[in-house]
Amino acid sequence: MSEEQDAREQALVEQVLAAFEGTPSPRLKQLVQALVRHLHAFVRETRLTTEEWEAAIGFLTACGHITDDRRQEFILLSDVLGLSMQTIAVNNEARGDATEATVLGPFFTEGAPEIPIGGELPGGAAGEPCWVEGVVTDTAGAPVPGARIEVWEADADGFYDVQYGDGRTAGRACLHSDDQGRFAFWGVTPTPYPIPADGPVGDLLRATGRSPMRASHLHFLVSAEGLRTLVTHIFVRGCAYLGRDSVFGVKESLVKDFVRQEPGTPAPGGRRIEGPWTRVRFDIVLAPEKEGSDAHRPVPDASGDRRRR
Amino acid sequence: MSEEQDAREQALVEQVLAAFEGTPSPRLKQLVQALVRHLHAFVRETRLTTEEWEAAIGFLTACGHITDDRRQEFILLSDVLGLSMQTIAVNNEARGDATEATVLGPFFTEGAPEIPIGGELPGGAAGEPCWVEGVVTDTAGAPVPGARIEVWEADADGFYDVQYGDGRTAGRACLHSDDQGRFAFWGVTPTPYPIPADGPVGDLLRATGRSPMRASHLHFLVSAEGLRTLVTHIFVRGCAYLGRDSVFGVKESLVKDFVRQEPGTPAPGGRRIEGPWTRVRFDIVLAPEKEGSDAHRPVPDASGDRRRR
């Protein structure tokens, strides 16, 4: 590239940055100027062609048009580019051995039914029974009594209750740790399922040779007074999609042994189970809440609930 | 930031890049991996909060929902971030004294009426008369005869004919340079007008203290055998918006003196003009067409109304 050409391109970047110099909010100014720098660097580095620019406009337009109250293609796009997980990483700085965070996903709902320790996720979501137990501690190792533990998961067919369409609640519950920080409940053994791949993001996955599948997982949202709220999953060791989870949610520290139990094995709480079942241990370590930090509590979106991905 | 935190964030970037490693098209792989690097760098550098990420998703969703067959908010967004102009800069490398390119804009249409040299833009778009003349040469200074020159502009109220809604053609014409490369026509003196500011991009401009106005301009699309097609504007020196054109289209080399003529001044072609008028000279230098380069010709958009040459 000639010096003249380089100077022209750089001058344009400076001109655009200067246009945002008068932004009243310092944070908005920082964000928009950083975005300008990175996007212009992308265009200059790749020597983006006019046709590619038009394809990008067309892609974003298609994402906009498929997005409605039940389908959020821009979140899907953020997910498959790893940007959702990077935002979560940035907002959950590593703190000692604190349990790692992962994506909230679109299927969290407020007001899941309360169950006692050892209880079952109500509604009888289909699937192989899974006993989940563990203890909640802080980073100093002290048990956290009374931690609020919200749990939700897909059924054996890969569907969450909000996808059933009949208003039923299933596969989700809320419980509290006991005075020694312990918790336990019956869920179902997680199975893999695909993110919606019938839109432009699905086209992108196909064009880039990627799978739409999410690795098998079980969601947790854990909160306790004075500690950082944790949004995470646990994943099933051995799942074929662990290394290619479509939203990059898998962290090695979150992969757990779901230990297979033969039919007839005596189950916790004296439960009688005809077929096979699994059990898994998940000990949860909550980080201290940092003064003035970005609270990680999920924020409801415009429609007041999370949308399907 | 701790080393552990930095390592986690960097590992995620590497993981996402690796996920795209199997992309069959080398160019798509290059583009998507570069996009991942730049967007993750943006999130990490700004420590984007969860709320800001949600606001970004909401902004893109709103852009998608206001976009229809007549309104293209993603192009507007690209325009106000200077990305449209940067793409044009990248695809029109500086070549000697070749005339600089600028945005095509949304108002070009095929099949503008042919006029002779010295003719008038038909349809009588309202505005002060403006005599435009010049010569088309190549970068060696040789005249280019028979160059096709398409010209279009807004009327004195800032509207293009396609915005009238009555199907009328006005303010646009097509002519050819003569055997010495010369051209001339009657247009109207350009006036400033705003880009549509009633959507999310307008909100962004307001939040960042920017004007939606475009500097006064007149569009050219010039093509000739064996030479790089030029898409450009000329701008009116003295226009209040030259330094803050909302789409960054202004280049100093494209700012011209529109010289004011008193009422009664004899006009070219013996035309009788009651009120004041202006005249401007615009000499056009076309770059050689580079073998194997990205042709700068406009590509038809989704509705098919851009001209392919």
Side-chain angles (χ1 to χ4, degrees), chain B residues 44-109:
Chain B
R44 296 183 67 191
E45 172 189 316
T46 61
R47 314 310 292 167
L48 193 72
T49 70
T50 308
E51 290 77 6
E52 288 162 351
W53 175 85
E54 296 197 355
I57 296 290
F59 181 83
L60 290 170
T61 301
C63 288
H65 287 171
I66 205 173
T67 294
D68 59 21
D69 290 346
R70 304 179 55 163
R71 171 73 174 262
Q72 229 308 350
E73 199 77 359
F74 291 108
I75 292 184
L76 272 189
L77 179 59
S78 169
D79 289 350
V80 305
L81 295 178
L83 291 170
S84 308
M85 270 304 289
Q86 192 63 271
T87 304
I88 285 159
V90 158
N91 286 282
N92 289 272
E93 293 215 2
R95 215 78 73 72
D97 293 325
T99 302
E100 289 193 78
T102 189
V103 287
L104 178 69
F107 300 120
F108 175 77
T109 60

Side-chain angles (χ1 to χ4, degrees), chain A residues 51-216:
Chain A
E51 290 77 5
E52 289 162 349
W53 176 85
E54 297 198 354
I57 295 289
F59 181 83
L60 290 170
T61 302
C63 288
H65 286 170
I66 204 173
T67 294
D68 59 21
D69 288 347
R70 303 180 55 163
R71 172 74 173 260
Q72 229 307 351
E73 199 77 358
F74 291 108
I75 291 184
L76 271 190
L77 179 59
S78 169
D79 289 351
V80 306
L81 294 178
L83 291 170
S84 308
M85 270 304 289
Q86 192 62 273
T87 304
I88 285 158
V90 159
N91 287 282
N92 290 273
E93 292 214 2
R95 215 77 73 70
D97 294 326
T99 302
E100 289 193 80
T102 190
V103 288
L104 177 69
F107 300 120
F108 174 77
T109 59
E110 301 275 356
E114 283 270 348
I115 58 170
I117 289 176
E120 297 188 30
L121 272 68
E128 189 184 71
C130 177
W131 176 253
V132 184
E133 62 187 341
V135 59
V136 183
T137 59
D138 63 20
T139 47
V144 178
R148 180 179 173 85
I149 302 165
E150 291 174 89
V151 196
W152 66 108
E153 62 177 331
D155 65 20
D157 297 320
F159 293 110
Y160 290 81
D161 57 1
V162 295
Q163 298 177 295
Y164 293 165
D166 60 4
R168 190 155 43 106
T169 295
R172 64 181 75 238
C174 176
L175 67 162
H176 288 82
S177 58
D178 70 10
D179 56 7
Q180 293 171 64
R182 295 174 306 193
F183 70 93
F185 61 92
W186 281 102
V188 297
T189 308
T191 51
Y193 62 85
I195 61 170
D198 58 336
V201 169
D203 294 340
L204 175 65
L205 290 177
R206 279 181 290 278
T208 55
R210 290 181 48 193
S211 163
M213 298 299 287
R214 291 226 54 204
S216 314

Side-chain angles (χ1 to χ4, degrees), chain A residues 247-262:
Chain A
V247 313
F248 305 100
V250 179
K251 299 287 158 191
E252 176 53 33
S253 69
L254 300 174
V255 178
K256 302 295 173 188
D257 294 305
F258 283 67
V259 184
R260 195 125 194 134
Q261 311 292 313
E262 290 309 314

Side-chain angles (χ1 to χ4, degrees), chain B residues 90-91 93-95 226-229 287-295:
Chain B
V90 158
N91 286 282
E93 293 215 2
R95 215 78 73 72
L227 297 169
R228 187 169 76 188
T229 295
E289 191 169 47
K290 198 166 85 181
E291 191 67 36
S293 72
D294 171 52

Side-chain angles (χ1 to χ4, degrees), chain B residues 186-264:
Chain B
W186 281 102
V188 297
T189 308
T191 52
Y193 62 84
I195 62 170
D198 58 335
V201 170
D203 293 340
L204 175 66
L205 291 177
R206 277 181 291 279
T208 54
R210 288 181 49 194
S211 165
M213 299 299 288
R214 291 226 54 205
S216 314
H217 63 275
L218 172 59
H219 292 264
F220 282 80
L221 193 164
V222 186
S223 51
E225 189 69 27
L227 297 169
R228 187 169 76 188
T229 295
L230 172 68
V231 175
T232 198
H233 305 169
I234 53 174
F235 295 90
V236 179
R237 192 178 313 281
C239 172
Y241 300 102
L242 282 179
R244 45 189 169 126
D245 182 49
S246 54
V247 311
F248 305 100
V250 177
K251 298 288 158 192
E252 176 52 34
S253 69
L254 300 174
V255 177
K256 302 295 175 188
D257 294 305
F258 284 68
V259 184
R260 196 128 196 128
Q261 310 292 313
E262 291 309 311

Side-chain angles (χ1 to χ4, degrees), chain A residues 80-81 204 208 210, chain B residues 16-23 29 32-33 36:
Chain A
V80 306
L81 294 178
L204 175 65
T208 55
R210 290 181 48 193
Chain B
V16 179
L17 291 175
F20 287 107
E21 198 60 34
T23 303
K29 177 169 143 181
V32 77
Q33 289 186 331
V36 163

